[in-house]
Amino acid sequence: MQTLSARIDFTRPDFRLRAHLRLPDSGITAVLGPSGSGKSTLLRLLAGLERPRAGCIRLGEHIWFSRAQAIDRPPSARAIGFMFQHYALFPHLSVAENIGYGLARGRERQRRVAEWIERLELAGLERRRPDALSGGQRQRVALARALAPRPRLLLLDEPFSAVDASLRQSLRLLLQELVSENDTSAILVTHDLEDARQCADRIGVMIAGRVRRLGESAEVLADPGDAEVARVLGWPNTLPVTQWAGDEACGTWGRVRLSRAPARAHEVVALLPDGPRPGAREGLEVEIAQVIEMGAYRALSCRLPDRTPLRLHLPRALPCPARGARTRIAVPPECVIALPARASVRFNHWSPHP
Amino acid sequence: MGFSDADLQAIWLTLRLASLVTVLLLLIGTPIAWWLARTRSAWKGPVGALVALPLVLPPTVLGFYLLLAMGPNGPVGQLTESLGLGLLPFTFWGLVVASVFYSMPFVVQPIQNAIEALGERPLEAAATLRAGPWDRFLTVVVPLARPGFLTAAILGFAHTVGEFGVVLMIGGNIPGETRVVSVQIYDYVEAMDYGQAHWLAASLVIFSFLVLLVLYSLNHRQALR
């Protein structure tokens, strides 16, 4: 098993990244985080495009970087595939030449390029230059180019950020299929939670240069670990707790009940935006500040009695209170979790049996 | 009227000199341009300024110091003598060396600009696709920076053809050895032979115009693509 393990210390004048992680050799790991958190830098460090100040990066037996052993393999010797945010296709080369760039010259190259062109439905575009392709086509060329040399690890930097929502869906599926077909593993840096939800086997969360949470997707999404990570993972509502009464958390904003009392008296409760419903007899008191139509649902910006903002998603089928209305919202206990404000960073490793 | 034998000799010498200097400048200037385009070193400023110096210096000043350096008491002169090559001033090879210095900025700057415009991304992409440094240079830098290399070659060649001050200081006026077209014209004017001077001077004007025309139309076509 070719586990990727990395212990990295990297500094720039305005930024420090310290990461300690271990990943298995299959499936997709999505790395989420606010912009400037160091996600792309982590990817570049793994690829060898940036050099750590200290640490060690290895894939299975192969040491890519080791400060102690004075090893620093260049990107060309790391058996990686890298898909850049804006693809970085070679503008002077055709589609076929771009895909074949990483392959050794010869008849074998022609055959493999033809296979990739067929697999990614690029037939008829072989001789086109990248500037004559659509966004989705460029993306498929970039994926084929990165995968053609059979990398052991595929690194993707915001690969879906430049295409529209309808294409994203099919590209996520394609990525999943390609990663499993080619028997490789992938690290996908994204700021879009949907990317992680839909195609990642594991999720990592980076904040301010640290990997704050890493684990199986379902596990991480259900238990972010702390309030800061929760916000990255789509828990927009975090409320400070001043007092616990058994399974009930109280604060200046009101009180909510959890499905069970937390093991420790955590400082924060996080509320999912999807479960709570307005128009209840009892529950949190809110004032509706804004209603935004989002298509399938309405996004409600509410204010709690102490002016703390609360965001709710209400299905279109349900009656919606008017802007400015005061109402109570019922919060089902399963929509609430208790969290520490900020957990200490532990060594982050993936393990198949948590 | 027409070109005299001496004119033809001067033209042939000039073309030989300019071609040789262009090739040497591309070989020497490319690594310098590469370094200047990509370094973050504090030496970038001083080295860049040194390379650009011939743009602002009177050719006689450059020629004067090159003459001293290549002379019997200069460091270059002592080196060439100890290697058994003799002294360089007033020889064809002396002209070659001087011209390389004199035309350096015209070759380095277009290549440097082209490499800077290229950015890091294509090179990084090539590196992640198993390309070593030499591969990256040949398959990414050269084709993408081609207009820069072309401009550099043409400007280097044309500038060498047009030089005068440095030639006089280093080469003097030896027929077949250092008497290039510009010096030949000067000789005609001094001898009040304006008709003969016209022939050479006008052909130099036409040549320079054609060179620039080719350069601009090539770059224009490249911009349209």
Side-chain angles (χ1 to χ4, degrees), chain B residues 79-130:
Chain B
L79 180 75
T80 52
E81 279 208 308
S82 70
L83 292 174
L85 298 171
L87 287 172
L88 289 176
F90 310 108
T91 65
F92 178 74
W93 286 101
L95 268 195
V96 169
V97 173
S99 304
V100 163
F101 280 101
Y102 186 50
S103 296
M104 185 75 84
F106 292 87
V107 170
V108 169
Q109 289 184 351
I111 300 177
Q112 182 187 344
N113 292 342
I115 293 173
E116 276 169 354
L118 199 68
E120 289 287 327
R121 255 320 110 76
L123 294 169
E124 289 183 348
T128 65
L129 290 163
R130 322 275 193 274

Side-chain angles (χ1 to χ4, degrees), chain A residues 44 76 80 90 92 101 145 149, chain B residues 122 124 127-130 139 144:
Chain A
R44 294 175 57 81
S76 52
I80 49 153
F90 300 120
H92 61 296
Y101 188 89
R145 185 180 71 170
Chain B
E124 289 183 348
T128 65
L129 290 163
R130 322 275 193 274
T139 60
L144 286 178

Side-chain angles (χ1 to χ4, degrees), chain B residues 195-208:
Chain B
Q196 211 53 42
H198 260 314
W199 265 100
L200 270 184
S203 38
L204 213 54
V205 169
I206 293 169
F207 166 78
S208 305

Side-chain angles (χ1 to χ4, degrees), chain A residues 1-84:
Chain A
M1 181 142 157
Q2 298 213 309
T3 311
L4 172 75
S5 81
R7 208 180 61 246
I8 298 170
D9 192 341
F10 172 76
T11 35
R12 263 200 314 248
D14 54 339
F15 177 72
R16 179 160 194 203
L17 183 146
R18 274 178 299 165
H20 194 176
L21 52 95
R22 189 178 294 156
L23 289 171
D25 65 346
S26 64
I28 300 174
T29 304
V31 178
L32 288 159
S35 49
S37 57
K39 315 182 287 282
S40 295
T41 307
L42 176 67
L43 223 51
R44 294 175 57 81
L45 283 158
L46 293 175
L49 298 172
E50 304 279 354
R51 180 181 299 174
R53 201 180 56 148
C56 178
I57 303 172
R58 57 196 301 168
L59 183 75
E61 320 266 272
H62 307 273
I63 299 175
W64 287 350
F65 178 86
S66 165
R67 179 67 200 265
Q69 296 175 60
I71 297 173
D72 183 11
R73 312 275 284 154
S76 52
R78 292 193 182 195
I80 49 153
F82 200 108
M83 188 165 156
F84 292 84

Side-chain angles (χ1 to χ4, degrees), chain A residues 207 212-213 223-233 235 238 268 270 337-346:
Chain A
I207 296 173
R212 290 274 290 275
R213 184 86 167 88
D223 177 14
D226 69 52
E228 276 185 290
V229 173
R231 276 190 283 273
V232 174
L233 291 174
W235 297 72
T238 48
V268 176
I337 52 169
L339 296 167
R342 194 186 188 292
S344 60
V345 182
R346 290 152 299 172

